[in-house]
């Protein structure tokens, strides 16, 4: 940061301090409900976003999964007989994102999940599409 920028910043901070110092004691004693409300809403939003972090499900075969998958994904092969058992006890109101090689199997899995009561399921298409959409790397387990 240049010396001139530091001086401008310091001047702005000092000016703000003078403005704030000029407030009367009675004004300072009054709660700023807008700020408190915004802070409270921000906390609630952060909790909601955390609660809504989707579970990432790769619906390809284990062999395909091993060649590269989105970081953090679990592998539930939609064409395996165990798929229904793997998903039946998941929280139906939680958020889920699905992907496969092209998006076709993920779309079928999405339809099945919705048919058994899941309410927040999204098909992200291919591995590459899901990686890009989620901002996560494609990884290979070693």
């Amino acid at each position: 940061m240049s010396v001139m920028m530091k001086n401008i910043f310091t001047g702005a901070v000092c000016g703000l301090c003078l403005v704030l110092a000029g407030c009367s004691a009675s004004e300072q004693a009054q709660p700023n409900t807008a700020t408190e409300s915004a802070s409270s809403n921000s906390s609630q939003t952060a909790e909601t976003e955390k609660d809504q972090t989707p579970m990432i499900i790769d619906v390809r075969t284990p062999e395909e999964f091993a060649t590269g998958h989105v970081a953090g994904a679990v592998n539930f092969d939609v064409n395996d007989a165990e798929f229904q058992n793997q998903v039946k006890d998941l929280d139906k109101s939680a958020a889920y994102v699905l992907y496969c090689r092209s998006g076709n199997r993920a779309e079928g899995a999405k339809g099945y999940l919705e048919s058994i009561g899941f309410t927040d399921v999204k098909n992200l298409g291919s591995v590459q599409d899901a990686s890009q959409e989620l901002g996560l790397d494609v990884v290979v387990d070693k």
Side-chain angles (χ1 to χ4, degrees), residues 58-69 75-80 101 105 127 139-141:
D58 182 322
V59 299
R60 299 175 300 156
T61 66
E63 294 78 21
E64 289 173 298
F65 185 81
T67 65
H69 56 274
N75 183 217
F76 295 160
D77 180 357
V78 70
N79 292 325
D80 188 291
R101 184 178 52 81
R105 287 177 281 178
V127 170
V139 297
V140 177
D141 292 335

Side-chain angles (χ1 to χ4, degrees), residues 20-42:
L20 292 175
C23 294
S24 70
S26 65
E27 288 174 329
Q28 290 176 357
Q30 297 294 322
N32 184 340
T33 55
T35 302
E36 290 172 4
S37 177
S39 175
S40 174
N41 288 343
S42 176

Side-chain angles (χ1 to χ4, degrees), residues 96-100 103-104 106-108 110 121-126:
Y96 300 91
V97 293
L98 313 175
Y99 69 89
C100 60
N104 290 333
E107 191 62 29
K110 177 181 181 283
V121 184
K122 184 176 181 183
N123 174 4
L124 296 184
S126 70

